[in-house]
Amino acid sequence: MSPSLDTLIIGAGTAGLAALREVRKHTDRYLIVNEGPWGTTCARVGCMPSKALIEAANAFHRRHTFEEFGLRGASALTADLPAVLQRVRALRDDLVAGALQATSGLGSAQISGRATLLGPQSVDIDGTAYATRSIIIATGSRPRVPEEWLAFGDRMLTTDTLFEQPSLGPRIAVIGMGPMGVEISQALARLGLQVAAFTTGHTLAGLGDPALNAELTALLKQDMVLHMGAEAQLREVPGGIEVASGSNRVVVDQVIAALGRVPNVEDLGLETLGVPLDRRGLPTVDPQTQQIGDLPVFLAGDANTHIPLLHEAADEGHIAGMNALATAPTRFRRRTLLSIVFADPNVAIVGPRMVDMDPHRTITGTASYATQGRARTAQRNHGRLCIYADRATGRLLGAELCAPDGEHLAHLLALAVQQQLTVHDLLGMPFYHPTLEEGLRTALRDAAHQLAHTRASDLAACAALDVPALE
C-alpha cells in the first residue's frame, strides 16, 4: 500500500474542486482522482452551455416584439442553428478551460482513474491501494435515461450530448419538465424548432404554488405543444420516433431525455463503509457536516442528491474539505434555499415551497406583472410573484415567482429570508421607480393587509397610489 495521505478526493467537479481548495490550505498530503473528463458538470454540459443557448433563443424571440416597438424588418431574421450551437460550444470550451486551471499544476497529486473504496480509510485506484486519514466523495451525477430508450442511439439526447450536435432535426420531443426540461424546450422552440414537451405530473420547473404553475403552463404553451399528466411511451415508426402520452401522439426526429440526474455511486464501494444504504445505494449524509455517520468519509455535491445546484455543491465541497482535516467536524449553517430556472419569464423558488408550509400559519402576498408599468414598456408584462410570511410575526418565510428578470428578485428575497426580515421591514426599504422590483412592493403590501399587526407611523405604512403607471 502506498504512503498514507491526509485526504483523498474522488471527483473533480464543483464539489471536488471546492474541497480541494480547502484541503490545500492545510496539507500537501492529498490526492484528487477523477474518472472521465476533467472540468465541472456546470461548465461542460450544464449551467453554462444551456444559458448560452437560452440567450441566443431569447434574442431571436425578441423579434416578435419589434413591430409593436415600431421596428420593421423582423420577418427577415433567421436562426442559423449550426452557428448557434457552434457558439455554445466555443463559449463552453473557454469556460471548461478555466475550470481545468484549478488542477493544472497539481502534478502527481492528481490522477485520472477509477476509484473504489476499500473501507473508510482506504481507496483503490486502478489496482493501487492508498491509505488515507479521510475520504471526500464528490463523484457527481449523470442524466437519467431509461435503458430501453438507449436503442434509439444518437437520436436519444441528454444535456450531456445535446450541445455536441452540429445541428438538430426540425422536430424535437423533450421528456421531463423539471428545471432543465423547461429551459431546453423553450429555448429550442424559440429557435424555430417544433417542440413537443411531455411530463407525467401537473407541475413544471419544480413550482409548488398552483397559481404560479398555471401561469407558467399557459406561457409555455405559447411556445410549444405541452402534454401533461401521462407517461411518455416511445417506439420506432417510419419517419422517426413516435412519442405517445395518453391520447396524444407525435412523431419526432430526436428526443431529449430531461428526467433528472442519478448519482455516480455504482461500484464505488460504499458497502465497504459498514453503514446502511438506501434503495439507491446511498448512505445517510449530514447536510451540515457532509459526514457519513461518524466515519472520516464525506459525501458532497450532486452525488449525495440533496440539492443538485452548483452553489450548493460548492458549499458542500467547502464543508467537506474543512471537516475532512478537522479533529472534530464543524456543523455549518446552510444558506437559504434558492433555485432559479432561466425560462422566460424566470422561475424561482426561495426558501421552502408553498406546499411545504403550514397554511394556517402562513399568509401569501401576490403581485401580477400583467399591468406593471416597467414590464409593459418592455412588452414583458407576464407572470406573477408570490411571497409567504408568518401570520403571527410577519417574518418573510419564502417566495415563488414566475416573473420578468425574476433571478434578481429571487436574490433580494433570499437575502431577506436569510436576514429574517419582516414584511414591514421590507416595506420600509427603498424601491426605485420605474423598476421591475416594484412588483415586490405590491406583493408586500398585499401581505401587510393580511397581518394582524400594522404600522401607522413610518414609511412602511405608505399606501399604494393605485395608479399602474406609478407602481
Side-chain angles (χ1 to χ4, degrees):
M1 185 174 288
S2 65
S4 180
L5 303 166
D6 284 330
T7 194
L8 194 152
I9 304 168
I10 306 173
T14 297
L17 293 179
L20 174 66
R21 181 181 59 201
E22 296 303 327
V23 165
R24 294 180 71 185
K25 294 176 182 178
H26 304 286
T27 182
D28 57 3
R29 292 162 48 82
Y30 67 86
L31 188 65
I32 183 168
V33 57
N34 189 72
E35 183 179 16
W38 292 68
T40 68
T41 295
C42 173
R44 287 190 300 105
V45 297
C47 319
M48 301 315 296
S50 66
K51 302 313 166 286
L53 183 73
I54 288 167
E55 291 293 347
N58 287 343
F60 185 52
H61 185 72
R62 288 286 282 169
R63 75 193 186 282
H64 294 300
T65 66
F66 287 2
E67 195 70 21
E68 179 69 20
F69 278 129
L71 309 176
R72 311 301 182 216
S75 60
L77 294 175
T78 60
D80 182 344
L81 190 57
V84 169
L85 292 169
Q86 177 58 39
R87 189 254 179 182
V88 169
R89 286 190 293 275
L91 180 59
R92 182 272 315 274
D93 291 345
D94 185 60
L95 294 166
V96 169
L100 292 175
Q101 290 180 3
T103 54
S104 61
L106 297 182
S108 60
Q110 75 174 84
I111 297 178
S112 292
R114 183 173 185 81
T116 306
L117 302 182
L118 301 175
Q121 293 184 303
S122 181
V123 178
D124 174 272
I125 302 176
D126 292 336
T128 299
Y130 293 81
T132 179
R133 286 178 49 216
S134 62
I135 300 169
I136 299 171
I137 301 168
T139 46
S141 62
R142 65 186 184 279
R144 176 183 286 110
V145 182
E147 187 172 354
E148 60 271 22
W149 291 5
L150 299 177
F152 294 106
D154 58 8
R155 292 175 297 168
M156 177 59 60
L157 304 175
T158 67
T159 51
D160 279 8
T161 57
L162 170 64
F163 306 112
E164 302 306 320
Q165 307 306 305
S167 190
L168 295 168
R171 305 170 300 173
I172 298 286
V174 178
I175 304 178
M177 288 296 279
M180 186 59 75
V182 167
E183 290 183 354
I184 293 299
S185 60
Q186 186 185 55
L188 294 179
R190 289 188 166 191
L191 286 167
L193 302 185
Q194 299 174 38
V195 176
F198 299 82
T199 178
T200 56
H202 294 278
T203 60
L204 303 171
L207 284 171
D209 193 302
L212 283 173
N213 192 68
E215 190 105 17
L216 178 60
T217 299
L219 290 169
L220 290 179
K221 284 183 176 180
Q222 296 177 14
D223 291 317
M224 69 192 77
V225 176
L226 178 58
H227 300 300
M228 305 173 70
E231 185 176 354
Q233 303 290 336
L234 277 58
R235 71 184 182 103
E236 185 82 40
V237 297
I241 301 171
E242 180 188 77
V243 184
S245 175
S247 60
N248 302 297
R249 300 284 189 278
V250 63
V251 177
V252 298
D253 303 296
Q254 291 160 304
V255 174
I256 300 173
L259 301 173
R261 301 181 69 87
V262 294
N264 293 323
V265 295
E266 296 88 352
D267 303 319
L268 184 59
L270 290 172
E271 68 279 359
T272 66
L273 298 179
V275 297
L277 305 179
D278 64 17
R279 59 180 178 78
R280 301 167 298 175
L282 290 169
T284 298
V285 178
D286 187 327
Q288 292 182 280
T289 65
Q290 303 308 127
Q291 189 175 18
I292 298 174
D294 59 358
L295 301 174
V297 183
F298 303 83
L299 181 54
D302 286 8
N304 67 30
T305 73
H306 284 174
I307 309 171
L309 297 170
L310 178 137
H311 60 278
E312 298 288 353
D315 282 353
E316 291 182 357
H318 168 85
I319 293 169
M322 293 190 70
N323 282 337
L325 300 179
T327 304
T330 298
R331 300 187 62 79
F332 287 82
R333 176 193 174 195
R334 301 299 296 269
R335 305 180 209 258
T336 295
L337 293 177
L338 173 60
S339 172
I340 300 174
V341 180
F342 294 88
D344 181 25
N346 291 161
V347 175
I349 301 172
V350 178
R353 298 191 309 161
M354 184 268 276
V355 292
D356 298 321
M357 297 183 187
D358 183 347
H360 303 293
R361 301 179 59 184
T362 307
I363 58 104
T364 301
T366 65
S368 171
Y369 278 83
T371 59
Q372 208 255 2
R374 180 62 186 277
R376 290 181 64 192
T377 66
Q379 298 187 62
R380 302 180 66 197
N381 49 315
H382 307 288
R384 179 177 297 272
L385 165 65
C386 296
I387 62 169
Y388 314 114
D390 183 89
R391 186 180 300 276
T393 65
R395 184 169 67 86
L396 189 66
L397 302 175
E400 293 187 38
L401 58 90
C402 171
D405 284 348
E407 59 183 286
H408 308 300
L409 270 176
H411 279 88
L412 288 175
L413 288 161
L415 290 169
V417 171
Q418 184 142 329
Q419 292 301 111
Q420 300 187 358
L421 300 181
T422 68
V423 167
H424 287 103
D425 289 335
L426 287 165
L427 280 172
M429 301 288 183
F431 287 86
Y432 200 84
H433 175 78
T435 60
L436 293 169
E437 283 72 18
E438 285 181 294
L440 171 56
R441 183 166 58 184
T442 302
L444 289 167
R445 284 170 170 164
D446 184 36
H449 292 153
Q450 302 171 58
L451 294 173
H453 56 286
T454 59
R455 294 183 184 179
S457 59
D458 62 19
L459 291 176
C462 288
L465 295 174
D466 291 326
V467 178
L470 303 179
E471 296 295 331

